[in-house]
Amino acid sequence: MERTRATEAAGVAGAGAAGSGELRFEGRIAGFGSASGTRVVIGLWERSPFGRFADAMIENAAGHRTLLAPSEVVAAFVSETYEFDEVRVVPVSSRRISGGLAVRAGDDGSALTARIAVGDVPPLGRLLRSVPRRLATDVRWLRMLDPIASRLVPGVHTAGSAGHGRREFYGVTTMRRIAWAEATVDGEPLGAFAALDPPVRFGFGSAPPEPHLVDLTTVIRLPRR
Protein backbone atom coordinates (compact mmCIF):
# COMPACT_ATOMS: atom_id res chain seq x y z
CA MET A 1 0.00 0.00 0.00
CA GLU A 2 1.22 3.45 -0.87
CA ARG A 3 0.69 5.21 2.45
CA THR A 4 0.59 8.84 1.23
CA ARG A 5 -1.96 8.17 -1.48
CA ALA A 6 -4.14 6.06 0.82
CA THR A 7 -4.00 8.63 3.61
CA GLU A 8 -5.07 11.40 1.25
CA ALA A 9 -7.93 9.26 -0.02
CA ALA A 10 -9.12 8.53 3.51
CA GLY A 11 -8.94 12.20 4.42
CA VAL A 12 -11.10 13.19 1.48
CA ALA A 13 -13.59 10.40 2.10
CA GLY A 14 -13.70 11.09 5.82
CA ALA A 15 -14.24 14.80 5.42
CA GLY A 16 -17.03 14.28 2.92
CA ALA A 17 -18.74 11.59 4.99
CA ALA A 18 -18.39 13.31 8.32
CA GLY A 19 -20.03 16.64 7.62
CA SER A 20 -20.40 17.50 11.29
CA GLY A 21 -17.01 15.91 12.10
CA GLU A 22 -18.65 12.75 13.49
CA LEU A 23 -18.45 9.34 11.82
CA ARG A 24 -20.75 6.43 12.74
CA PHE A 25 -20.07 2.76 12.06
CA GLU A 26 -22.88 0.25 12.74
CA GLY A 27 -22.26 -3.48 12.77
CA ARG A 28 -20.64 -6.26 14.77
CA ILE A 29 -17.26 -7.12 16.22
CA ALA A 30 -16.05 -10.66 16.98
CA GLY A 31 -13.01 -11.21 19.18
CA PHE A 32 -11.33 -14.47 20.20
CA GLY A 33 -7.96 -15.97 21.08
CA SER A 34 -6.09 -19.16 20.24
CA ALA A 35 -3.70 -21.66 21.78
CA SER A 36 -0.85 -20.19 19.71
CA GLY A 37 -1.29 -16.85 21.47
CA THR A 38 -2.62 -15.06 18.38
CA ARG A 39 -5.75 -13.00 18.99
CA VAL A 40 -8.21 -12.02 16.25
CA VAL A 41 -10.71 -9.14 16.17
CA ILE A 42 -13.04 -9.01 13.16
CA GLY A 43 -15.25 -6.06 12.24
CA LEU A 44 -18.41 -6.63 10.20
CA TRP A 45 -19.78 -3.19 9.32
CA GLU A 46 -23.27 -2.95 7.84
CA ARG A 47 -23.35 0.86 7.63
CA SER A 48 -20.41 3.25 7.59
CA PRO A 49 -19.09 6.32 5.76
CA PHE A 50 -17.23 3.82 3.53
CA GLY A 51 -20.24 1.61 2.88
CA ARG A 52 -20.53 -2.01 3.94
CA PHE A 53 -17.22 -3.75 4.62
CA ALA A 54 -15.34 -6.22 6.81
CA ASP A 55 -11.84 -5.93 8.26
CA ALA A 56 -9.65 -7.88 10.66
CA MET A 57 -7.08 -6.96 13.30
CA ILE A 58 -4.59 -9.64 14.37
CA GLU A 59 -2.02 -9.61 17.18
CA ASN A 60 0.32 -12.58 17.47
CA ALA A 61 2.06 -13.94 20.56
CA ALA A 62 5.08 -11.71 19.94
CA GLY A 63 2.87 -8.60 19.92
CA HIS A 64 3.00 -7.96 16.16
CA ARG A 65 -0.21 -6.17 15.14
CA THR A 66 -1.59 -6.54 11.61
CA LEU A 67 -4.57 -4.86 9.93
CA LEU A 68 -6.30 -6.60 7.03
CA ALA A 69 -8.47 -4.06 5.20
CA PRO A 70 -10.49 -4.35 1.97
CA SER A 71 -9.38 -1.05 0.39
CA GLU A 72 -6.70 1.60 0.66
CA VAL A 73 -9.26 4.13 1.89
CA VAL A 74 -10.42 1.87 4.73
CA ALA A 75 -6.82 0.84 5.52
CA ALA A 76 -5.68 4.45 5.78
CA PHE A 77 -8.59 5.56 7.96
CA VAL A 78 -8.39 2.58 10.34
CA SER A 79 -4.59 2.75 10.64
CA GLU A 80 -4.84 6.46 11.51
CA THR A 81 -7.35 5.63 14.27
CA TYR A 82 -5.61 2.53 15.71
CA GLU A 83 -2.01 1.32 15.93
CA PHE A 84 -0.50 -1.43 13.78
CA ASP A 85 2.92 -2.75 12.87
CA GLU A 86 1.71 -3.93 9.47
CA VAL A 87 -1.14 -2.89 7.17
CA ARG A 88 -2.26 -5.15 4.31
CA VAL A 89 -4.90 -4.31 1.70
CA VAL A 90 -6.61 -7.58 0.70
CA PRO A 91 -10.15 -8.71 -0.13
CA VAL A 92 -12.11 -9.36 3.08
CA SER A 93 -15.49 -11.10 3.02
CA SER A 94 -17.91 -12.69 5.46
CA ARG A 95 -20.87 -15.02 5.14
CA ARG A 96 -23.34 -16.72 7.41
CA ILE A 97 -22.95 -20.43 8.03
CA SER A 98 -25.04 -22.82 10.11
CA GLY A 99 -24.79 -21.59 13.70
CA GLY A 100 -22.38 -18.76 13.01
CA LEU A 101 -20.27 -17.07 10.38
CA ALA A 102 -17.18 -17.49 8.23
CA VAL A 103 -14.63 -14.83 7.28
CA ARG A 104 -11.94 -14.89 4.60
CA ALA A 105 -9.22 -12.34 3.85
CA GLY A 106 -6.80 -12.45 0.96
CA ASP A 107 -7.12 -14.39 -2.28
CA ASP A 108 -8.82 -17.69 -1.41
CA GLY A 109 -8.37 -16.94 2.29
CA SER A 110 -4.59 -16.77 2.03
CA ALA A 111 -4.28 -14.05 4.73
CA LEU A 112 -7.00 -15.21 7.15
CA THR A 113 -9.74 -17.79 7.39
CA ALA A 114 -12.05 -17.95 10.40
CA ARG A 115 -15.12 -19.95 11.31
CA ILE A 116 -17.09 -18.83 14.35
CA ALA A 117 -19.92 -20.62 16.17
CA VAL A 118 -22.19 -18.15 17.97
CA GLY A 119 -23.56 -19.15 21.36
CA ASP A 120 -26.06 -17.76 23.85
CA VAL A 121 -26.74 -14.24 25.11
CA PRO A 122 -25.16 -13.80 28.58
CA PRO A 123 -26.83 -11.80 31.38
CA LEU A 124 -24.84 -8.69 30.43
CA GLY A 125 -26.09 -9.03 26.86
CA ARG A 126 -29.70 -9.14 28.08
CA LEU A 127 -29.05 -6.06 30.20
CA LEU A 128 -27.59 -4.20 27.22
CA ARG A 129 -30.67 -5.10 25.17
CA SER A 130 -32.87 -3.38 27.73
CA VAL A 131 -31.19 0.01 27.18
CA PRO A 132 -32.94 2.10 24.48
CA ARG A 133 -30.77 2.20 21.38
CA ARG A 134 -30.70 6.00 21.23
CA LEU A 135 -29.31 6.14 24.77
CA ALA A 136 -26.96 3.16 24.28
CA THR A 137 -25.17 4.92 21.42
CA ASP A 138 -25.22 8.48 22.81
CA VAL A 139 -21.68 9.76 23.41
CA ARG A 140 -22.70 11.51 26.64
CA TRP A 141 -23.97 8.21 28.05
CA LEU A 142 -20.86 6.38 26.86
CA ARG A 143 -18.58 8.89 28.60
CA MET A 144 -20.43 8.34 31.90
CA LEU A 145 -20.52 4.57 31.39
CA ASP A 146 -16.80 4.11 30.70
CA PRO A 147 -15.56 3.80 34.33
CA ILE A 148 -18.30 1.24 35.06
CA ALA A 149 -17.68 -0.75 31.86
CA SER A 150 -13.97 -1.10 32.59
CA ARG A 151 -14.77 -2.54 36.02
CA LEU A 152 -17.46 -4.93 34.78
CA VAL A 153 -15.37 -6.28 31.89
CA PRO A 154 -11.58 -5.92 32.31
CA GLY A 155 -9.89 -4.20 29.39
CA VAL A 156 -13.12 -2.86 27.90
CA HIS A 157 -13.79 0.87 27.51
CA THR A 158 -16.68 2.79 25.97
CA ALA A 159 -14.91 6.14 25.45
CA GLY A 160 -11.34 7.20 24.84
CA SER A 161 -8.74 8.89 22.68
CA ALA A 162 -7.93 7.53 19.25
CA GLY A 163 -5.14 8.40 16.83
CA HIS A 164 -4.59 11.83 15.25
CA GLY A 165 -6.62 13.70 17.86
CA ARG A 166 -9.79 11.67 17.35
CA ARG A 167 -12.23 10.65 20.08
CA GLU A 168 -13.92 7.28 19.91
CA PHE A 169 -17.04 5.83 21.55
CA TYR A 170 -18.33 2.24 21.60
CA GLY A 171 -22.08 1.79 22.06
CA VAL A 172 -22.77 -1.95 22.48
CA THR A 173 -26.44 -2.90 22.12
CA THR A 174 -26.17 -6.66 22.65
CA MET A 175 -23.61 -9.42 22.90
CA ARG A 176 -23.47 -13.16 22.29
CA ARG A 177 -20.87 -15.63 23.48
CA ILE A 178 -18.64 -17.23 20.88
CA ALA A 179 -18.99 -20.94 21.61
CA TRP A 180 -16.11 -22.01 19.37
CA ALA A 181 -13.83 -20.65 16.67
CA GLU A 182 -11.00 -21.83 14.45
CA ALA A 183 -8.72 -19.75 12.26
CA THR A 184 -5.65 -19.78 10.05
CA VAL A 185 -3.33 -16.82 9.39
CA ASP A 186 -1.18 -16.94 6.26
CA GLY A 187 -2.13 -20.60 5.92
CA GLU A 188 -1.00 -21.59 9.43
CA PRO A 189 -3.63 -22.95 11.88
CA LEU A 190 -3.76 -20.93 15.10
CA GLY A 191 -4.59 -23.89 17.30
CA ALA A 192 -7.36 -24.47 19.80
CA PHE A 193 -9.98 -21.85 20.59
CA ALA A 194 -9.06 -19.78 23.68
CA ALA A 195 -9.79 -16.63 25.61
CA LEU A 196 -8.66 -13.29 24.19
CA ASP A 197 -5.75 -12.96 26.57
CA PRO A 198 -3.62 -10.92 26.93
CA PRO A 199 -5.70 -7.91 25.81
CA VAL A 200 -5.07 -6.67 22.29
CA ARG A 201 -3.26 -3.35 21.85
CA PHE A 202 -4.79 -1.75 18.78
CA GLY A 203 -6.44 1.18 20.56
CA PHE A 204 -7.40 2.53 23.97
CA GLY A 205 -9.40 -0.59 24.88
CA SER A 206 -9.55 -4.30 24.13
CA ALA A 207 -12.30 -6.72 23.21
CA PRO A 208 -13.60 -8.75 26.20
CA PRO A 209 -11.33 -11.57 27.40
CA GLU A 210 -14.23 -14.04 27.07
CA PRO A 211 -14.84 -14.38 23.30
CA HIS A 212 -17.95 -12.53 22.20
CA LEU A 213 -19.76 -11.29 19.12
CA VAL A 214 -21.15 -7.84 19.92
CA ASP A 215 -23.59 -5.61 18.07
CA LEU A 216 -22.55 -1.99 18.36
CA THR A 217 -22.33 1.51 16.99
CA THR A 218 -18.87 3.06 16.94
CA VAL A 219 -18.76 6.86 16.88
CA ILE A 220 -15.53 8.62 15.89
CA ARG A 221 -15.26 12.36 16.36
CA LEU A 222 -12.67 14.05 14.19
CA PRO A 223 -10.64 16.97 15.55
CA ARG A 224 -11.64 20.44 14.50
CA ARG A 225 -9.54 21.84 11.69
Side-chain angles (χ1 to χ4, degrees):
M1 182 183 68
E2 184 179 344
R3 176 72 59 170
T4 300
R5 178 161 58 89
T7 301
E8 290 174 352
V12 171
S20 63
E22 184 173 286
L23 301 171
R24 298 178 73 87
F25 297 74
E26 298 180 12
R28 293 177 169 181
I29 291 178
F32 60 92
S34 66
S36 66
T38 296
R39 289 88 75 208
V40 179
V41 178
I42 298 169
L44 307 168
W45 304 106
E46 297 291 332
R47 287 172 291 277
S48 84
F50 309 109
R52 183 177 180 177
F53 71 92
D55 63 354
M57 305 178 187
I58 303 166
E59 183 172 354
N60 67 18
H64 186 82
R65 298 162 296 182
T66 301
L67 168 65
L68 303 177
S71 70
E72 290 191 358
V73 170
V74 170
F77 183 84
V78 174
S79 63
E80 287 184 350
T81 306
Y82 302 95
E83 295 184 10
F84 301 96
D85 304 296
E86 180 183 359
V87 178
R88 296 163 65 180
V89 177
V90 295
V92 185
S93 63
S94 67
R95 61 184 177 89
R96 292 186 178 181
I97 59 175
S98 179
L101 56 95
V103 177
R104 297 172 68 178
D107 297 329
D108 298 324
S110 57
L112 169 72
T113 65
R115 292 174 62 88
I116 299 169
V118 180
D120 63 342
V121 178
L124 180 56
R126 292 193 290 272
L127 177 62
L128 290 167
R129 281 181 172 177
S130 70
V131 179
R133 185 178 183 85
R134 175 173 287 186
L135 176 61
T137 60
D138 188 296
V139 297
R140 294 167 295 183
W141 165 258
L142 296 172
R143 282 197 194 100
M144 291 189 297
L145 185 63
D146 183 64
I148 301 171
S150 62
R151 290 188 179 94
L152 286 175
V153 186
V156 170
H157 289 274
T158 58
S161 297
H164 290 76
R166 298 168 184 176
R167 297 286 299 174
E168 188 170 16
F169 305 88
Y170 294 114
V172 177
T173 53
T174 192
M175 61 195 308
R176 299 171 180 82
R177 291 187 177 96
I178 294 177
W180 167 88
E182 67 174 5
T184 66
V185 172
D186 294 329
E188 294 294 326
L190 298 186
F193 174 58
L196 196 147
D197 182 60
V200 288
R201 302 172 300 114
F202 308 120
F204 63 84
S206 176
E210 182 181 355
H212 280 90
L213 175 70
V214 301
D215 291 18
L216 80 166
T217 296
T218 297
V219 178
I220 297 177
R221 285 188 168 175
L222 305 178
R224 294 181 180 178
R225 296 181 181 274

